[in-house]
Amino acid sequence: MAQVSGVDPAKLVAARAAVALVQDGMRLGLGTGSTASVMVRELAARVEAEGLRLRCAATSKATADLAESLGLRIEALDAIGWLDLTIDGADEVDGQLHLIKGGGAAHLREKIVAAASDRMVVIADPGKVVETLGAFPLPVEVLEFGFETTRKLIRRALDGLDLGGRDVMQRLRGSEPVVTDEGNLILDLHLGEIPDPVALARALSAIPGVVEHGLFLGMCDLAIIGRPDGGVTELARAADIDADMLAAEGDRDGV
């Protein structure tokens, strides 16, 4: 595998394996984050080399700007209508292909795009694979209006799930609040571990002021984990998806 200067080889091989799934004429969702940006560059190179005709929707302004700078055409999701495939990164992936996303503060758009896709493929390096979600702080996008009230309600919900006493911190960039593409704020829940992601997803979705949380349950179909040696490990979701997982998202595994 030819190396690209400055790019983590595990991210690169995962991105290339995912881009290899793309076929001419596809409608694609393009994810956000450091690994997804590698994928966008690899996709643009393949489009240029092979003349692929694609329709692409981006999950963030940053991804749209990068893609367009590389010659990819970005359209509004509603203009495309439905997607064949979304390729995105993740901050954590467990053995059931549950995800934590939102390190790039784009999980609202990422979840909408993933939900509008026939298939979601996640690309990651081995450090993102975990036994239990929660070491990575769980992002929750919230309205600015009633911000402290929403934070109080989140803490109350965590208490009810035996997750009380954890930090619920506003995400800052320097001394300024991080503001999402939709004009909202981010709270990061430092939980350590999440024993019951379904229950937590339901509790967060029921809170007024919560726009979206970073738990992606029953949405990922395939995770491609790049390895530093140039190989990949593929984790596929079992066909019998737990209905509770989908209900948790709707409320507001093999190797």
Side-chain angles (χ1 to χ4, degrees):
M1 179 186 68
Q3 297 298 310
V4 177
S5 177
V7 176
D8 183 313
K11 293 181 178 181
L12 181 60
V13 71
R16 285 179 172 168
V19 167
L21 300 174
V22 175
Q23 300 176 11
D24 188 39
M26 271 189 166
R27 297 157 297 177
L28 298 179
L30 307 182
T32 296
S34 60
T35 308
S37 67
V38 177
M39 176 273 297
V40 171
R41 294 181 184 279
E42 291 297 310
L43 179 64
R46 189 173 166 212
V47 167
E48 182 177 5
E50 301 178 26
L52 299 179
R53 296 162 298 172
L54 305 175
R55 301 185 69 184
C56 301
T59 56
S60 67
K61 183 178 184 300
T63 294
D65 289 346
L66 173 62
E68 290 178 333
S69 75
L70 296 169
L72 296 175
R73 181 186 173 195
I74 297 297
E75 301 179 59
L77 177 61
D78 286 344
I80 299 175
W82 196 262
L83 304 175
D84 300 298
L85 173 67
T86 287
I87 305 174
D88 206 345
D91 298 299
E92 287 188 342
V93 183
D94 73 9
Q96 295 178 291
L97 296 193
H98 297 336
L99 315 173
I100 285 182
K101 291 179 52 57
H107 56 283
L108 171 57
R109 290 194 185 186
E110 288 172 330
K111 191 172 284 190
I112 293 171
V113 169
S117 304
D118 286 336
R119 193 179 187 203
M120 181 189 189
V121 173
V122 162
I123 51 178
D125 60 77
K128 304 297 175 61
V129 181
V130 299
E131 290 189 12
T132 303
L133 298 178
F136 189 90
L138 176 64
V140 181
E141 184 164 343
V142 301
L143 294 175
E144 182 178 10
F145 178 83
F147 174 80
E148 289 299 340
T149 296
T150 302
R151 174 150 53 178
K152 184 180 295 184
L153 291 171
I154 289 172
R155 285 180 170 140
R156 186 178 298 171
L158 294 178
D159 288 341
L161 294 170
D162 294 325
L163 291 170
R166 272 68 165 184
D167 288 334
V168 179
M169 306 294 293
Q170 182 173 9
R171 190 182 301 181
L172 304 175
R173 184 175 291 113
S175 60
E176 296 298 318
V178 169
V179 179
T180 71
D181 285 348
E182 306 305 317
N184 300 314
L185 305 176
I186 297 288
L187 287 169
D188 287 320
L189 280 52
H190 295 256
L191 304 176
E193 64 177 8
I194 303 172
D196 190 342
V198 172
L200 179 57
R202 283 178 169 156
L204 292 173
S205 294
I207 295 172
V210 169
V211 179
E212 191 52 84
H213 55 77
L215 286 168
F216 285 54
L217 309 180
M219 302 187 77
C220 176
D221 298 287
L222 175 69
I224 300 176
I225 312 302
R227 301 194 306 266
D229 64 5
V232 298
T233 300
E234 295 190 356
L235 308 175
R237 190 178 70 186
D240 54 336
I241 305 169
D242 187 334
D244 285 344
M245 299 173 196
L246 299 182
E249 291 295 352
D251 285 345
R252 358 176 235 155
D253 67 342
V255 176

Coordinates of all heavy atoms in Angstrom, one line a residue, residues 6 13 28-29 32 34 44 56 75 77 84 91 103 110-111 128 143 150 174 187 200 204 210 213 225 235 240 244 253:
G6 N 2.1 12.1 6.2 CA 1.4 12.7 7.3 C 0.1 12.0 7.6 O -0.6 12.5 8.5
V13 N -5.7 3.0 5.2 CA -6.2 1.7 4.7 C -7.7 1.5 4.9 O -8.3 0.9 4.0 CB -5.3 0.6 5.3 CG1 -5.7 0.3 6.7 CG2 -5.5 -0.7 4.5
L28 N -24.0 9.2 -2.2 CA -23.2 9.0 -1.1 C -23.4 10.1 0.0 O -23.6 11.3 -0.3 CB -21.7 9.0 -1.5 CG -21.2 8.0 -2.4 CD1 -19.7 8.2 -2.7 CD2 -21.5 6.6 -1.9
G29 N -23.3 9.6 1.3 CA -23.1 10.5 2.4 C -21.7 10.6 2.9 O -21.1 9.5 3.0
T32 N -17.8 13.3 8.7 CA -17.0 14.4 9.2 C -15.9 13.8 10.2 O -16.2 12.9 10.9 CB -17.9 15.4 10.0 OG1 -18.8 16.0 9.0 CG2 -17.1 16.5 10.6
S34 N -11.4 13.4 11.3 CA -10.1 13.2 10.7 C -10.0 12.0 9.8 O -9.4 12.1 8.7 CB -9.0 13.1 11.8 OG -9.3 12.0 12.7
A44 N -12.1 11.5 -3.8 CA -11.9 12.4 -4.9 C -10.8 11.9 -5.9 O -10.9 12.1 -7.1 CB -11.4 13.8 -4.3
C56 N -23.3 13.5 -4.0 CA -22.8 13.5 -2.6 C -23.5 14.5 -1.7 O -23.7 15.6 -2.1 CB -21.3 13.7 -2.5 SG -20.3 12.5 -3.5
E75 N -24.3 18.2 -2.9 CA -25.7 18.7 -3.0 C -26.4 18.6 -1.7 O -26.0 17.9 -0.8 CB -26.5 17.8 -4.0 CG -25.9 17.7 -5.4 CD -26.7 16.8 -6.3 OE1 -27.9 17.0 -6.5 OE2 -26.1 15.8 -6.8
L77 N -29.0 17.3 1.0 CA -29.6 16.0 1.1 C -31.0 15.8 0.5 O -31.3 14.8 -0.1 CB -29.6 15.6 2.6 CG -30.2 14.3 3.0 CD1 -29.5 13.1 2.4 CD2 -30.3 14.1 4.5
D84 N -27.5 5.7 -1.1 CA -27.1 4.3 -1.2 C -26.2 4.0 -0.1 O -26.3 2.9 0.5 CB -26.4 4.0 -2.5 CG -27.3 4.3 -3.7 OD1 -28.4 3.7 -3.8 OD2 -27.0 5.2 -4.5
D91 N -16.0 7.9 17.0 CA -15.1 8.1 18.2 C -15.0 6.8 19.0 O -14.0 6.6 19.6 CB -15.7 9.2 19.0 CG -15.7 10.5 18.2 OD1 -14.6 11.0 17.8 OD2 -16.8 11.1 18.1
G103 N -17.4 13.9 18.1 CA -16.1 14.5 18.4 C -15.9 15.8 17.6 O -15.3 16.7 18.0
E110 N -24.8 14.1 11.0 CA -24.3 12.8 10.7 C -25.4 11.7 10.9 O -25.5 10.8 10.1 CB -23.1 12.5 11.6 CG -21.8 13.2 11.2 CD -20.7 13.0 12.2 OE1 -21.0 12.8 13.4 OE2 -19.5 13.1 11.8
K111 N -26.2 11.9 11.9 CA -27.3 11.0 12.2 C -28.4 11.1 11.2 O -28.9 10.1 10.7 CB -27.8 11.1 13.6 CG -28.7 10.0 14.0 CD -29.1 10.1 15.5 CE -28.0 9.7 16.4 NZ -28.4 9.5 17.9
K128 N -10.2 3.0 18.3 CA -11.6 3.3 18.4 C -12.5 2.2 18.8 O -13.7 2.4 19.2 CB -12.2 4.0 17.1 CG -11.3 5.2 16.6 CD -11.4 6.3 17.6 CE -10.5 7.5 17.2 NZ -10.9 8.0 15.9
L143 N -29.9 23.2 22.7 CA -30.3 24.6 22.3 C -29.6 25.5 23.3 O -29.4 25.2 24.5 CB -31.8 24.8 22.4 CG -32.6 24.0 21.4 CD1 -34.1 24.2 21.7 CD2 -32.3 24.5 20.0
T150 N -31.4 22.7 30.6 CA -31.2 21.4 29.9 C -30.1 20.6 30.6 O -30.2 19.4 30.8 CB -30.9 21.6 28.5 OG1 -32.0 22.4 27.9 CG2 -30.7 20.3 27.7
G174 N -10.8 27.0 23.1 CA -10.2 28.1 23.8 C -11.1 28.5 24.9 O -11.5 27.7 25.8
L187 N -22.7 19.8 24.9 CA -22.4 19.3 26.3 C -21.7 17.9 26.1 O -22.2 17.1 25.4 CB -23.6 19.1 27.2 CG -24.2 20.4 27.7 CD1 -25.6 20.2 28.3 CD2 -23.3 21.1 28.7
L200 N -30.0 5.0 28.0 CA -29.4 6.4 28.0 C -29.9 7.1 26.8 O -30.3 8.3 26.9 CB -27.9 6.3 28.0 CG -27.2 7.7 28.0 CD1 -27.7 8.6 29.2 CD2 -25.7 7.5 28.0
L204 N -32.1 10.6 27.1 CA -31.6 11.9 26.5 C -32.6 12.5 25.5 O -32.8 13.7 25.5 CB -30.2 11.7 25.9 CG -29.1 11.4 26.9 CD1 -27.8 11.1 26.2 CD2 -28.8 12.6 27.9
V210 N -32.7 19.1 24.4 CA -31.7 18.2 23.7 C -32.1 18.1 22.2 O -33.2 17.6 21.9 CB -31.6 16.8 24.4 CG1 -30.8 15.8 23.5 CG2 -31.0 16.9 25.8
H213 N -28.2 13.4 20.5 CA -27.0 12.9 21.2 C -26.2 12.1 20.3 O -26.6 11.7 19.2 CB -27.5 12.0 22.4 CG -28.5 10.9 22.0 ND1 -28.0 9.7 21.4 CD2 -29.8 10.8 22.1 CE1 -29.1 9.0 21.1 NE2 -30.2 9.6 21.5
I225 N -12.0 -1.5 10.2 CA -11.0 -1.1 11.1 C -9.6 -1.3 10.5 O -9.2 -2.4 10.2 CB -11.0 -1.9 12.4 CG1 -12.5 -2.0 13.0 CG2 -10.1 -1.3 13.5 CD1 -13.1 -0.6 13.2
L235 N -16.0 -5.6 10.8 CA -17.0 -6.0 11.8 C -18.4 -5.7 11.1 O -18.7 -4.6 10.8 CB -16.9 -5.2 13.1 CG -15.5 -5.2 13.7 CD1 -15.5 -4.2 14.9 CD2 -15.1 -6.6 14.1
D240 N -30.3 -9.7 12.8 CA -31.4 -9.5 13.7 C -31.1 -8.3 14.6 O -30.6 -8.5 15.7 CB -31.6 -10.8 14.5 CG -30.4 -11.3 15.2 OD1 -29.3 -11.0 14.7 OD2 -30.5 -12.0 16.2
D244 N -35.3 -2.7 20.2 CA -35.2 -1.7 21.2 C -34.2 -0.6 20.8 O -34.3 0.6 21.1 CB -34.8 -2.2 22.6 CG -35.9 -3.0 23.3 OD1 -37.0 -2.8 22.9 OD2 -35.6 -3.8 24.2
D253 N -22.6 -9.6 14.8 CA -21.4 -8.9 14.8 C -20.3 -9.8 14.2 O -19.5 -9.5 13.7 CB -21.1 -8.5 16.1 CG -20.7 -8.8 17.4 OD1 -20.9 -9.8 17.9 OD2 -20.3 -7.8 18.0

